[in-house]
Amino acid sequence: MTQSNHTSLTPSISPLRQRMIEDMTMRKLKPSTQRGYIRSVKRLAQFLGHSPHTATAEELRCFQLDLVNQGATTATINGLLSGLHFLFDITLNNSCVLRNMSTIYQPRKIPIVLSQQEVKQLLDAAVSLKYKAALSTAYGAGLRASEVTHLKVADIDSQRMLIHIEQGKGDKDRQAMLSPVLLHLLRQWWCFGQRQQRMLKGGWLFPGQDPVNPISTRQLSRAFHAAATLAKLTKPVSLHTLRHSFATHLLEQNVDIRVIQVLLGHKKLETTALYSQVATNTLRDTQSPLDLLELTTFG
């Protein structure tokens, strides 16, 4: 094959897309963020039928209106707007074209949590030791799905009883708690994985089908839902529910909310304070000021 023929078969990247990729690379945006921003611009281009760099404020307004009419969720619309803001604010230096677009307020809902008995039922229903250990890590240390899947064996510090979280949300390292029960379960899994030749030296704590790669968050989520079904849980739960339950159960044990904030890696205390609304034991055990009043009775 000649060089010219080879070049003709290679997908070309438009100058606009190339510059946007360079702008994102300069700012060291995560690959997942970059892919999301590119998808946002691609969706706008499909709507416009021409390159986004010539888009007008009215066209962008119509684009957002079309998203709403199609039933796009608030999270989807706001995500698309983040990508478009990067394109027009940074790459094109033309932020005024976004003047007719607006992010949508998304009210914060009270998280759904499981009782401790429900968590036990779910973990006991895990389809394998590997998934039971991974799901127990999510609950026992209050980790996000991506934090569980990217743990390495070396991140488990049994001497200090800590789990090292490398580059969690916000690209921040932190320490999570390691309970004796979780450590015992992780050792069981490590020994089993060693016998199955799944654990590579210096490798992932929860390897995927190919031990060179970690288990994916999608795989872990499927394992969670399979366990929830086997445990006959009726609440609309997700893998993140284990993290919500971890925080709520600590609060019900009267753990200081600022300690919980650190364990969860929350930047703002108000984010952690949301769990006070679902800590039923705490709410039930709190005495109402009405109970302190000596009201006169009728009759």
Side-chain angles (χ1 to χ4, degrees):
M1 181 180 294
T2 63
Q3 181 64 34
S4 59
N5 288 339
H6 176 76
T7 303
S8 65
L9 295 176
T10 303
S12 59
I13 298 179
S14 69
L16 177 60
R17 180 169 178 170
Q18 181 61 42
R19 184 174 180 83
M20 184 175 176
I21 291 173
E22 291 171 354
D23 288 337
M24 293 188 291
T25 301
M26 285 171 55
R27 289 158 179 79
K28 294 187 175 182
L29 298 189
K30 289 183 176 180
S32 58
T33 301
Q34 294 193 31
R35 289 192 295 269
Y37 284 4
I38 291 296
R39 282 196 298 268
S40 298
V41 177
K42 184 178 180 180
R43 187 159 179 177
L44 173 63
Q46 291 171 340
F47 172 81
L48 296 173
H50 61 77
S51 175
H53 86 277
T54 59
T56 65
E58 182 60 23
E59 285 178 319
L60 287 171
R61 174 185 174 277
C62 290
F63 174 60
Q64 182 167 354
L65 182 60
D66 183 67
L67 291 173
V68 173
N69 289 336
Q70 288 183 23
T73 65
T74 297
T76 296
I77 294 174
N78 287 343
L80 287 168
L81 291 182
S82 294
L84 298 184
H85 269 288
F86 189 94
L87 171 67
F88 290 102
D89 291 346
I90 305 299
T91 301
L92 294 175
N93 192 25
N94 185 23
S95 57
C96 65
V97 79
L98 296 169
R99 62 182 178 272
N100 292 331
M101 302 190 82
S102 176
T103 54
I104 303 173
Y105 171 72
Q106 190 167 18
R108 177 169 290 177
K109 296 181 179 180
I110 295 177
I112 294 173
V113 300
L114 298 172
S115 68
Q116 288 181 305
Q117 179 58 35
E118 288 172 325
V119 172
K120 182 181 184 304
Q121 290 173 216
L122 184 141
L123 296 179
D124 284 342
V127 295
S128 70
L129 177 58
K130 173 183 176 179
Y131 288 131
K132 182 173 184 177
L135 295 175
S136 295
T137 302
Y139 171 70
L143 304 189
R144 301 176 179 91
S146 60
E147 293 171 344
V148 173
T149 58
H150 284 84
L151 284 176
K152 293 185 176 180
V153 175
D155 292 329
I156 307 302
D157 187 347
S158 59
Q159 296 297 316
R160 300 172 63 205
M161 295 303 287
L162 295 172
I163 300 175
H164 178 62
I165 309 299
E166 185 176 353
Q167 298 293 284
K169 188 174 182 180
D171 295 329
K172 294 181 180 179
D173 292 357
R174 77 174 195 280
Q175 305 287 358
M177 65 189 300
L178 174 63
S179 77
V181 171
L182 179 57
L183 177 60
H184 177 71
L185 185 56
L186 291 178
R187 281 174 169 163
Q188 283 186 316
W189 156 241
W190 184 85
C191 290
F192 179 82
Q194 283 281 87
R195 291 195 298 271
Q196 298 294 316
Q197 297 183 333
R198 305 293 300 167
M199 312 298 285
L200 302 180
K201 185 176 181 180
W204 305 106
L205 181 60
F206 303 112
Q209 292 291 335
D210 183 345
V212 173
N213 302 315
I215 184 178
S216 69
T217 55
R218 181 172 295 183
Q219 285 176 294
L220 188 57
S221 180
R222 283 200 296 261
F224 170 86
H225 286 291
T229 299
L230 290 172
K232 298 181 179 179
L233 301 183
T234 58
K235 295 177 180 177
V237 293
S238 68
L239 180 53
H240 206 69
T241 301
L242 292 177
R243 179 172 159 89
H244 291 323
S245 301
F246 164 83
T248 303
H249 296 162
L250 284 182
L251 198 59
E252 291 179 339
Q253 294 168 25
N254 296 319
V255 175
D256 191 294
I257 195 168
R258 287 163 294 190
V259 174
I260 301 174
Q261 178 190 4
V262 172
L263 291 174
L264 293 175
H266 283 164
K267 185 176 181 180
K268 298 179 180 179
L269 183 60
E270 63 188 53
T271 305
T272 315
L274 184 66
Y275 294 110
S276 62
Q277 299 181 45
V278 289
T280 54
N281 288 356
T282 304
L283 295 175
R284 186 179 58 245
D285 295 339
T286 301
Q287 188 177 29
S288 167
L290 179 65
D291 296 336
L292 303 177
L293 303 180
E294 295 181 5
L295 298 179
T296 57
T297 59
F298 287 93

